[in-house]
């Protein structure tokens, strides 16, 4: 059954890609993987193609998929393309995770259980959060920790949303959440993309739960964070808040009911 899919965007992750794929497939619970690679010049996609012989995408478990794009088009659209790919194939739980081991793949299981059907008080979206029990960031330079922490303070102040780690990129979404929010154009690329996704979920009334994680700086490969991405986040949050005044968000239950109605009508 196509249950859980981890979408991993990659740009020049040759030093991490094989290890992260093998680690996810060694977890005690099954997760499929979709790598969204933007034509990495270091051959990341070729490494994935080679691994597909060990974990074919048509296999009964541990399926490894690859979506290749032509050039570096940014993290935001990589996730959106990945999510659309997954929704059209019937996956029920979709995960965002970096390729560089900053997110510990072991935590995928905890994110999943926060959203899984088994719990009556389950979340719709589970966010792997660095800042709900102190500051759980290992090996980042102090400047980057402070920037990330105060980005959260700024986002909460502007948006009114109470999420402690709004720029987090380690997330589990139930499929029905993405079915609703991807109807709207999501326009940002970097950290602003992560903020916009959570903000849109929150505006629709979806239940967001933060799950504490420890984030560790990458030990291999280089970060693609840039000042452009930083600026996009600073101005993007303001822009996003202002445009939200002109948008109508149908609350979650109504929109889900509407989707069910339209299915019945077919
Ligand atoms: N497909 C794709 N992946 C990207 C792009 N930019 C970054 N990534 C991937 O997104 C993840 C997070 O990027 P990273 O450089 O670690 O950012 P940082 O953790 O904020 O320093 C990593 O898996 C990157 O390889 C991009 O333009 N396209
Ligand atoms: Mg990283």
């Amino acid at each position: 059954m196509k249950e859980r899919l981890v979408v991993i965007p990659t740009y020049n992750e040759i030093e991490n890609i094989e290890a992260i794929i093998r680690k996810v497939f060694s977890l005690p619970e099954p997760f499929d993987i979709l790598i969204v690679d933007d034509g990495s010049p270091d051959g990341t996609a070729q490494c994935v193609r080679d691994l597909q012989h060990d974990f074919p995408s048509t296999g009964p478990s541990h399926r490894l998929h690859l979506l290749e794009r032509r050039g570096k088009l940014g993290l935001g659209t990589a996730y959106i393309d990945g999510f659309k790919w997954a929704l059209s194939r019937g996956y029920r739980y979709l995960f965002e995770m970096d390729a560089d081991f900053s997110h510990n793949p072991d935590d995928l299981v905890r994110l999943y259980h926060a959203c899984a059907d088994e719990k009556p008080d389950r979340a719709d979206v589970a966010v792997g959060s660095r800042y709900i029990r102190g500051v759980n960031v290992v090996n980042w330079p102090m400047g980057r920790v402070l920037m990330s922490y105060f980005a959260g303070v700024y986002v909460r102040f502007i948006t009114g949303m109470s999420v402690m780690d709004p720029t987090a990129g380690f997330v589990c979404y139930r499929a029905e959440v993405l079915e609703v929010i991807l109807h709207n154009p999501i326009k940002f690329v970097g950290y602003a993309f992560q903020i916009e996704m959570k903000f849109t979920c929150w505006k629709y009334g979806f239940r967001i739960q933060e799950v504490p994680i420890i984030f560790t700086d990458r030990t291999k490969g280089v970060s693609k964070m840039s000042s452009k991405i930083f600026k996009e986040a600073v101005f993007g949050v303001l822009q996003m808040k202002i445009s939200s005044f002109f948008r109508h968000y149908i609350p979650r239950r109504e929109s889900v009911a509407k989707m069910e109605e339209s299915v019945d009508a077919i």
Side-chain angles (χ1 to χ4, degrees), residues 23-255:
K23 173 68 195 176
V24 172
F25 287 156
S26 75
L27 293 175
E29 300 187 25
F31 291 84
D32 290 355
I33 299 178
L34 171 67
I35 303 292
V36 184
D37 186 72
D38 278 3
S40 298
D42 70 355
T44 300
Q46 186 54 47
C47 178
V48 177
R49 275 194 293 274
D50 294 343
L51 280 169
Q52 280 181 323
H53 295 124
D54 294 356
F55 307 106
S57 58
T58 49
S61 64
H62 292 160
R63 283 169 287 215
L64 176 58
H65 306 277
L66 172 65
L67 187 62
E68 290 186 81
R69 307 195 308 166
R70 289 230 173 122
K72 192 171 183 317
L73 300 171
L75 184 78
T77 59
Y79 273 126
I80 289 171
D81 288 352
F83 291 152
K84 288 186 174 161
W85 183 100
L87 291 174
S88 70
R89 283 161 181 81
Y91 281 96
R92 297 188 56 217
Y93 299 89
L94 285 84
F95 298 77
E96 286 185 10
M97 190 175 81
D98 289 1
D100 59 2
F101 284 94
S102 284
H103 304 139
N104 182 346
D106 289 331
D107 294 330
L108 286 167
V109 176
R110 292 166 59 231
L111 290 175
Y112 167 71
H113 286 291
C115 291
D117 285 339
E118 66 211 27
K119 277 188 15 194
D121 60 340
R122 60 159 184 79
D124 298 306
V125 180
V127 176
S129 181
R130 295 163 284 191
Y131 307 120
I132 45 171
R133 291 194 189 148
V135 174
N136 287 307
V137 176
V138 178
N139 282 346
W140 252 8
M142 186 51 84
R144 218 174 153 191
V145 178
L146 289 173
M147 191 181 79
S148 165
Y149 184 81
F150 284 103
V153 175
Y154 171 73
V155 170
R156 285 192 293 283
F157 177 72
I158 301 284
T159 62
M161 162 174 86
S162 63
V163 175
M164 287 302 287
D165 194 353
T167 58
F170 197 17
V171 185
C172 171
Y173 296 94
R174 290 178 63 93
E176 62 267 27
V177 174
L178 294 174
E179 298 271 12
V180 172
I181 70 168
L182 294 185
H183 274 300
N184 300 283
I186 301 277
K187 54 186 179 141
F188 295 123
V189 169
Y191 291 122
F193 164 79
Q194 298 296 1
I195 299 165
E196 188 180 20
M197 290 290 283
K198 293 175 193 76
F199 181 71
T200 311
C201 290
W202 176 69
K203 289 294 280 181
Y204 274 106
F206 286 111
R207 185 160 178 258
I208 303 175
Q209 184 184 333
E210 290 187 85
V211 173
I213 58 141
I214 296 175
F215 177 101
T216 311
D217 194 16
R218 60 161 79 234
T219 54
K220 293 186 176 144
V222 291
S223 168
K224 285 96 207 171
M225 160 78 179
S226 65
S227 58
K228 195 168 147 220
I229 286 175
F230 177 75
K231 278 188 206 137
E232 180 197 56
V234 174
F235 297 110
V237 171
L238 282 170
Q239 212 184 323
M240 185 185 79
K241 178 70 181 177
I242 293 164
S243 53
S244 75
F245 294 128
F246 304 99
R247 248 167 79 174
H248 182 55
Y249 299 87
I250 304 165
R252 174 176 77 101
R253 283 179 213 296
E254 236 178 286
S255 56

